[in-house]
Each structure stands twice: as structure tokens, then as C-alpha cells.
Amino acid sequence: MRKVTLTKYFAFALTLAAVSAFAGPVVMEKNVAPAPAPMCDWTGFYVGVNGGVGWQQSRFTDQNSAVYEGYYFGTPTNTFDNVNFLAGGQAGYNYQWRDLVVGIEADADYSGNSIRKDVLYGTYEETRPENWGWHDYAKIDFQGSVRGRLGISFLDNKALIYMTGGGAFVHGSWDMNAAYFTSDESGDYDKDFRGDDWRFGLIGGSGIEYRLNCHWSIKAEGLYTWLAEDVQAPSRLGSSVSDEKAARVVFGDELFSFRVGVNYNFGSFFGH
């Protein structure tokens, strides 16, 4: 009887030891600290979209201003501007070393900018409108650039402030038409100058970008674009216009744009 009781106690003790051995690691697992969040940086390929506003300033200069245009209109150059929307996308690559970030970015945007102005001289013999004047037209429907970027990362790699600069290119239409009594003379005194469809120049600006997580970020930037002047001879000349009054016309343009955007960063070699 006594031997049976001791056997029961011994079996019970073994059972408790086995349960404790099994339950111990479970309690320890509950107390394990969570894994640290991965460290994010700006290195990697990215793509994104952007939108904003663009301010176009266009100059139309008549190099024949020393003759009758200068006498009647008083200035060889007319300058007009327009503000409209921009929308497009960008792609690029960043490399981060400590807090320094260098990169390259290419962007392309649709532009809604268009300028159409008439500069008329006045009336003829006070009896009818004198259809003598300049009809100036400038439209930019596409603009893009390839730019380098140099920035500083701060706030534990959550924010990036940068400068950017490079080459710019735009597509559009430019036209300056000098009309003189067109309705009466069938265009004998008209002359027309057409600019190139593609224009090239330089672009520069600055911006700030903020990281939402390791992949998504938002940004805002301001850019200034200077386009090389486009000098054109007449594309059409009325039969009564002499060569000395044909001269040349210079198209000059500047663009100011403010854009906001969203980027998705794939990380270095498409993965962190």
C-alpha cells in the first residue's frame, strides 16, 4: 500500500515537471521584443506622377523695328504671359551616402499654356478700322527635362531637400503675322514668321520630398526654364513687301512652374 502511494506521488511529480518544461518556452515567447522596423533611405529607382501650374512668358521681337514698325508701334518687342495647368510623370534614380543624396530624373508634362494677342495700330482716315498690326501666337503643349539632383536628407531619412538642374525641351507652335489691310489688299503687304516646333534650353530649381514609408513619398518643387531664342526669316511674304522690310523675328520664352507629386521607390536594385 505504501509502495503504491509513493509510486502515485512520483508519477504526479513527473507529470508536473513535464507540463512546466512544455509551458516555460511559451511564456518566454510572449515576452520577446518585436523586431525593429527596417531602416529606409533614398537609394533606388523610382517613378511617379505630378501636377501643377505653369507660367509662360513669351517675347516677340521684330528686328525690322528701325523701319515703319518701330515708328508706329514704338518698340521692337511685345511680351505676353499666361498661366495654365501641367500634368505628367517622372522617373529617376537616387543614391544616398550618409546624409548626401545624388540622383538623376527625367520628366514629361502636358501643358495647357497658349497665348494669342493682337497688337493693332489704330484707324485709317478715321473711317474704318485699319487692319495693320501684329498677330502674335505662342503655344506650349508638351514640356520635359533631364536633370541632376543634389540633396540633403534629414529627420532620420524621412525628408529630403534638394536642388536640381539640367536640360529642357518643349514642343509647341509660334507664329508672328504682320497684317496690313488684309481685307482690302488680299495679303499683298502681309508677312508671316513661324517658329520651330521643338525648342531647347536650360532648367533649374529646388524642392522638398517627404517619405511616407520605405516606398511612397510626396514632393513639391519649383522650376525655372529658359528656352534658347528662335530667330526666323519670313515663311510667307506678300508681293508688295520689300526685302528690307522683311527682316527677322525672334521668339523668346521663359517658363516658371510649381508642381506637386507622388513617387514610388523600388529600392536599390528593386528591393531593400
Side-chain angles (χ1 to χ4, degrees):
M1 182 73 177
R2 188 170 179 177
K3 192 180 288 188
V4 173
T5 302
L6 289 173
T7 302
K8 288 181 179 180
Y9 282 132
F10 183 71
F12 181 70
L14 287 176
T15 302
L16 286 177
V19 171
S20 300
F22 178 77
V26 175
V27 175
M28 290 177 63
E29 286 179 4
K30 290 182 180 179
N31 295 328
V32 172
M39 291 294 293
C40 303
D41 63 20
W42 295 95
T43 297
F45 296 94
Y46 64 89
V47 296
V49 295
N50 70 74
V53 294
W55 175 29
Q56 174 186 351
Q57 186 176 76
S58 297
R59 296 182 306 278
F60 304 83
T61 301
D62 175 23
Q63 291 186 337
N64 194 39
S65 62
V67 196
Y68 55 78
E69 284 91 343
Y71 175 78
Y72 286 106
F73 292 98
T75 175
T77 301
N78 288 309
T79 302
F80 307 105
D81 59 8
N82 180 60
V83 177
N84 217 306
F85 69 92
L86 300 169
Q90 65 273 343
Y93 180 82
N94 288 323
Y95 177 78
Q96 181 172 348
W97 179 74
R98 296 185 179 179
D99 291 332
L100 183 68
V101 180
V102 295
I104 186 170
E105 179 176 291
D107 65 86
D109 284 80
Y110 171 80
S111 171
N113 268 311
S114 180
I115 294 173
R116 186 187 298 271
K117 297 292 184 179
D118 298 323
V119 183
L120 302 180
Y121 173 60
T123 59
Y124 176 67
E125 295 178 353
E126 305 299 327
T127 58
R128 59 183 174 178
E130 181 176 4
N131 188 28
W132 179 17
W134 293 111
H135 305 279
D136 299 329
Y137 176 70
K139 178 181 181 180
I140 295 177
D141 51 34
F142 172 84
Q143 63 186 69
S145 68
V146 178
R147 296 172 283 108
R149 301 206 314 172
L150 178 64
I152 298 295
S153 177
F154 60 102
L155 294 180
D156 294 329
N157 284 336
K158 291 182 179 179
L160 172 69
I161 187 169
Y162 60 88
M163 297 182 299
T164 181
F169 50 92
V170 305
H171 179 271
S173 302
W174 287 265
D175 184 80
M176 176 186 268
N177 176 256
Y180 182 66
F181 296 117
T182 302
S183 60
D184 302 313
E185 304 291 342
S186 300
D188 289 346
Y189 291 91
D190 286 7
K191 51 185 178 179
D192 188 65
F193 303 83
R194 292 188 180 276
D196 294 329
D197 292 339
W198 287 95
R199 303 270 301 281
F200 301 90
L202 300 174
I203 186 171
S206 61
I208 187 168
E209 192 165 352
Y210 185 81
R211 184 185 294 280
L212 303 176
N213 52 44
C214 285
H215 295 290
W216 291 100
S217 62
I218 55 177
K219 71 170 189 174
E221 64 184 6
L223 299 170
Y224 165 74
T225 304
W226 170 85
L227 299 179
E229 291 183 337
D230 182 19
V231 182
Q232 294 289 341
S235 58
R236 180 175 59 84
L237 207 58
S239 59
S240 299
V241 180
S242 63
D243 289 341
E244 72 168 5
K245 295 178 180 178
R248 298 287 189 274
V249 157
V250 181
F251 299 99
D253 295 86
E254 296 173 277
L255 305 173
F256 303 85
S257 59
F258 176 77
R259 307 185 300 195
V260 295
V262 178
N263 283 334
Y264 181 84
N265 190 318
F266 294 97
S268 180
F269 303 104
F270 299 96
H272 283 292

